[in-house]
Amino acid sequence: MNVKKVLLKTITLSSLVVLGSGGIVSAAETENAEASPNTESTPLQGSLGLSENGGFNPNPPSELNKRTEIGDSYFGIAYIPDAFDFGTVKLNDDIKTQTIKALKDNHKDERQTNGEKTFNVGVKDKRRETTSEWTLFAKLQSGIGQTNEGMRLNMPMSSDNVVRRNINDGTEDFQPDQLTEQLKKEGHNEVTGQKNLTITMTDTPVMYTVKDQFINGVYDLDLGDVTISIPDASKVAAQTLDTKVVWTLSNTPTQNDQLIQSVKDLFTVDSKYTNLKSSVTSQELTDVENEILALGNSTQKAYNLQHFNKYAKGHLIHWDFKKNANAHLASLKLITNYDDTQAGLYLCDFFNARTTTTEEPPYVSVKLQRGNECIFNKGIDKSGSSRSISQIEVKPGDILTITHQEGVSDNGKVSVYPGNLKKGYIDESGKTLKYKVTDAFRLVPAE
C-alpha cells in the first residue's frame, strides 16, 4: 500500500506540467523562454570640430573690393571695398541737387555702372552657433567737404537688399554662382541688411544677425551704386575729397530687444524704430524720456536712452498754439528722418483753416518761403469746427514764418519744443517767429 501511494503522488505532480501545454514541455525549457541578457549597447564616440584654420577666406565678388588680414579667425570682417573713387567731377552751376557715382571702371572717368563690378562688404562667422549676435557698422572718419555743405554719402544696397553667402574657397577666382542663398536652417535668413543708407560720422548699422538663427558662412552684401549727393552745388567750393569709411563689427544685437514698448511706439512700423511717426508730440517725448530715466536696469536704461537721444529727441520741433491758457488750437511740427536727410512740416489738429485771401488777418498763420516763392501759406481762425491737416516737405534754405495775433512771447499762447527755439527768433512786433532751415535741417534765426 505504501508503494502505491508514492507512485500516485509522482504521477499527479508530473501531470501538472503537461496540463494546458498542448504538448509535452519540460520545466527547464519553460524557464529559458526569455533571452538573458536581452539588451546591450555599443558606444559611438568622436568629436565634430570647427573647420580647419578658420575655414575658407573667400575672394570677394569683384576687383573693386579687397580681402582683410583675417587669417585663421573664425569671426571677423572678410572684405571691404578697396576705395570709393569719384574721379574728377565738374560742379553744376545751379542750386539743384547734384549726384555723383563712385567709379566702377577705374580706366574711364564715367558714371556708367559696369554690371559685373560691385562694391561689397563681407562678414565671416564660422563659429556655427545659434547664439551669435553681431552688427556691422559704417561711419565716416570725418565730414565730406571743407564746410557744412550738406553733402551726403549714400549706399542704396542691392536692388533686392539680400544678404548672400560667399562660398568661394579663397584660392580659385570668384564665380558669380558662388554667391548663394543663406542656409535658412529654420526657414529664415540668418543675416539681414539695411537699405538706402546715408553714412554719417555716427555708426550706422549695415547688416546684422537675426536672433536665434544658426550662423555659418561668409555673409556678403552688395552696396549698390555708392553716391555723393550735393543739395546745392552752387554753394560748394572746388576741393579734394579726403575722408574714409570706417567699418566696425561689434557683438551687438540690433533687434532692439531691450527697447521698452513706449519707445517703440514713437516710431513707424517699417523703420526699425528709427523714424518718428508724424503724429508724435513733444509731450509724448517728455513722458517717454521720464519713463526711461526711471528704469531700474542700468543696462536697459542706457540702451533705451541712447536710442531715444539718437532717433527721437533731436528729430522733432513742436509748436503749440492756443486761444487761451486752456484751449488748444493748433500744432505745428517739423520732423526729420533718422539721419537728417529729409524733413516734413506738419500743421494739424486745428479748426477752420482759412484761405489766404481773407482780408482780416488770421489768428495764427504759418508760411514757408523757398527763394522767391511762397510754397506753404495757412491761416487759422480763432473759432470754428472743421478739422484740417496739412503737410509739406521742407528743403535746406527754406524760411519758416509763424505769426500769432496775440503775440509769441511768454503769454502762454505759443510754446516751442525744445524751448531754446523761441528767444532770438522773435521779430520787433513780438508777434512773429522767423526761422531758416540749414543744410542739416536745423533751425537758425532768419536774416
Side-chain angles (χ1 to χ4, degrees), residues 367-370 397-401 434-437 446:
K367 295 181 182 180
L368 192 67
Q369 190 84 15
R370 185 168 299 159
D398 288 352
I399 303 295
L400 175 63
T401 303
K434 199 169 185 179
Y435 306 90
K436 182 177 181 179
V437 182

Side-chain angles (χ1 to χ4, degrees), residues 312-377:
K313 193 171 184 178
H315 297 271
L316 171 69
I317 300 172
H318 187 185
W319 295 266
D320 189 63
F321 310 124
K322 294 182 178 180
K323 293 182 286 186
N324 56 57
N326 299 314
H328 171 78
L329 176 65
S331 292
L332 178 68
K333 292 178 282 189
L334 179 66
I335 298 177
T336 57
N337 67 340
Y338 74 99
D339 61 356
D340 294 323
T341 57
Q342 291 180 304
L345 191 67
Y346 302 85
L347 183 60
C348 52
D349 298 331
F350 63 88
F351 297 91
N352 195 20
R354 307 173 71 225
T355 65
T356 57
T357 58
T358 306
E359 293 183 4
E360 181 183 353
Y363 186 65
V364 176
S365 67
V366 178
K367 295 181 182 180
L368 192 67
Q369 190 84 15
R370 185 168 299 159
N372 296 323
E373 181 183 2
C374 183
I375 62 170
F376 186 83
N377 190 353

Side-chain angles (χ1 to χ4, degrees), residues 106-119:
N106 295 326
H107 305 291
K108 296 180 182 180
D109 186 3
E110 60 181 32
R111 298 292 160 297
Q112 183 67 36
T113 298
N114 183 333
E116 296 180 356
K117 295 182 180 180
T118 54
F119 293 115

Side-chain angles (χ1 to χ4, degrees), residues 130-144:
T130 57
T131 56
S132 295
E133 288 190 278
W134 50 257
T135 302
L136 179 69
F137 295 95
K139 70 176 181 179
L140 289 172
Q141 187 180 64
S142 58
I144 303 174

Side-chain angles (χ1 to χ4, degrees), residues 41-313:
S41 63
T42 300
L44 189 155
Q45 299 174 339
S47 175
L48 301 178
L50 296 177
S51 305
E52 187 177 5
N53 300 324
F56 292 149
N57 296 321
N59 289 313
S62 88
E63 63 187 39
L64 298 179
N65 310 289
K66 64 179 181 181
R67 292 203 299 186
T68 65
E69 299 297 327
I70 193 169
D72 294 342
S73 173
Y74 288 93
F75 176 55
I77 300 174
Y79 49 82
I80 59 173
D82 189 26
F84 295 126
D85 183 1
F86 292 89
T88 301
V89 179
K90 299 296 183 182
L91 292 166
N92 292 344
D93 197 22
D94 55 39
I95 63 173
K96 297 179 180 179
T97 299
Q98 181 176 357
T99 301
I100 56 176
K101 289 182 181 180
L103 297 172
K104 291 189 175 181
D105 186 336
N106 295 326
H107 305 291
K108 296 180 182 180
D109 186 3
E110 60 181 32
R111 298 292 160 297
Q112 183 67 36
T113 298
N114 183 333
E116 296 180 356
K117 295 182 180 180
T118 54
F119 293 115
N120 300 75
V121 63
V123 172
K124 176 184 178 182
D125 188 352
K126 295 198 173 181
R127 295 173 293 176
R128 300 174 186 252
E129 296 176 350
T130 57
T131 56
S132 295
E133 288 190 278
W134 50 257
T135 302
L136 179 69
F137 295 95
K139 70 176 181 179
L140 289 172
Q141 187 180 64
S142 58
I144 303 174
Q146 297 171 349
T147 58
N148 185 17
E149 295 145 345
M151 289 193 284
R152 306 283 182 174
L153 179 68
N154 301 312
M155 296 180 183
M157 307 305 167
S158 58
S159 58
D160 52 5
N161 194 40
V162 171
V163 176
R164 295 183 174 87
R165 292 174 70 227
N166 185 341
I167 61 172
N168 179 271
D169 64 7
T171 57
E172 65 178 22
D173 291 340
F174 178 85
Q175 302 298 321
D177 61 1
Q178 290 172 339
L179 280 184
T180 67
E181 285 193 13
Q182 297 183 44
L183 290 174
K184 298 184 179 181
K185 191 172 181 180
E186 297 178 1
H188 303 283
N189 283 337
E190 307 96 62
V191 177
T192 189
Q194 297 282 54
K195 57 183 177 181
N196 299 325
L197 291 182
T198 296
I199 307 303
T200 67
M201 288 187 288
T202 301
D203 274 326
T204 300
V206 175
M207 64 174 168
Y208 49 86
T209 53
V210 178
K211 188 176 181 181
D212 297 328
Q213 297 302 310
F214 180 78
I215 306 295
N216 180 33
V218 175
Y219 296 90
D220 174 277
L221 183 61
D222 181 349
L223 302 178
D225 290 334
V226 177
T227 65
I228 288 178
S229 175
I230 308 173
D232 182 351
S234 68
K235 295 181 180 179
V236 179
Q239 59 191 277
T240 299
L241 302 179
D242 185 19
T243 186
K244 295 179 180 179
V245 175
V246 180
W247 307 92
T248 303
L249 183 59
S250 174
N251 287 306
T252 306
T254 58
Q255 276 62 50
N256 298 317
D257 295 331
Q258 298 189 70
L259 289 182
I260 58 178
Q261 189 60 45
S262 58
V263 171
K264 294 180 180 181
D265 290 342
L266 297 173
F267 302 96
T268 58
V269 175
D270 60 348
S271 68
K272 301 185 184 302
Y273 311 118
T274 55
N275 284 326
L276 284 176
K277 295 177 180 177
S278 61
S279 59
V280 73
T281 67
S282 58
Q283 186 60 54
E284 286 181 85
L285 293 192
T286 300
D287 292 343
V288 170
E289 185 174 19
N290 289 335
E291 184 179 349
I292 293 171
L293 294 174
L295 290 173
N297 185 314
S298 59
T299 301
Q300 187 181 32
K301 180 193 291 186
Y303 187 89
N304 277 269
L305 194 60
Q306 180 185 35
H307 192 93
F308 177 84
N309 289 337
K310 183 176 181 179
Y311 296 115
K313 193 171 184 178

